Amino acid sequence: MEKFDKHLSTIGLVLSEQDRDLLHTFREIRNAIEHGRKPEEPSVQEIKRVKALTNRIILTSLKHIKATI
């Protein structure tokens, strides 16, 4: 998460506490799957929120890259 936080700082994106909690939830789901445990199933609303959040991060990253070229 340290590298991720540094990247967010570099691109100038500030995440709310709710956004960070959402990412933490999905990181726990990913880790459970990775280690062969049954993950807690997220709601459809949570899936839509994390999808929107990751899209925002990707688009902001691309915008930053384009601005530095």
Side-chain angles (χ1 to χ4, degrees):
M1 287 301 286
E2 189 176 317
K3 287 181 181 181
F4 181 67
D5 288 336
K6 183 175 182 190
H7 176 70
L8 292 177
S9 177
T10 300
I11 64 173
L13 187 60
V14 178
L15 298 181
S16 69
E17 193 63 34
Q18 289 176 332
D19 289 343
R20 288 191 174 278
D21 289 344
L22 183 64
L23 288 175
H24 178 73
T25 298
F26 275 81
R27 185 176 169 104
E28 287 180 349
I29 291 169
R30 178 242 174 237
N31 288 343
I33 293 168
E34 182 73 21
H35 296 286
R37 298 186 306 265
K38 184 176 181 189
E40 195 170 310
E41 191 170 329
S43 68
V44 173
Q45 182 181 3
E46 287 175 314
I47 293 169
K48 287 181 180 182
R49 284 181 49 220
V50 81
K51 181 180 171 185
L53 176 57
T54 54
N55 284 338
R56 185 170 54 137
I57 294 167
I58 291 167
L59 289 175
T60 304
S61 297
L62 291 173
K63 182 179 173 184
H64 175 75
I65 289 169
K66 189 174 180 181
T68 58
I69 294 178

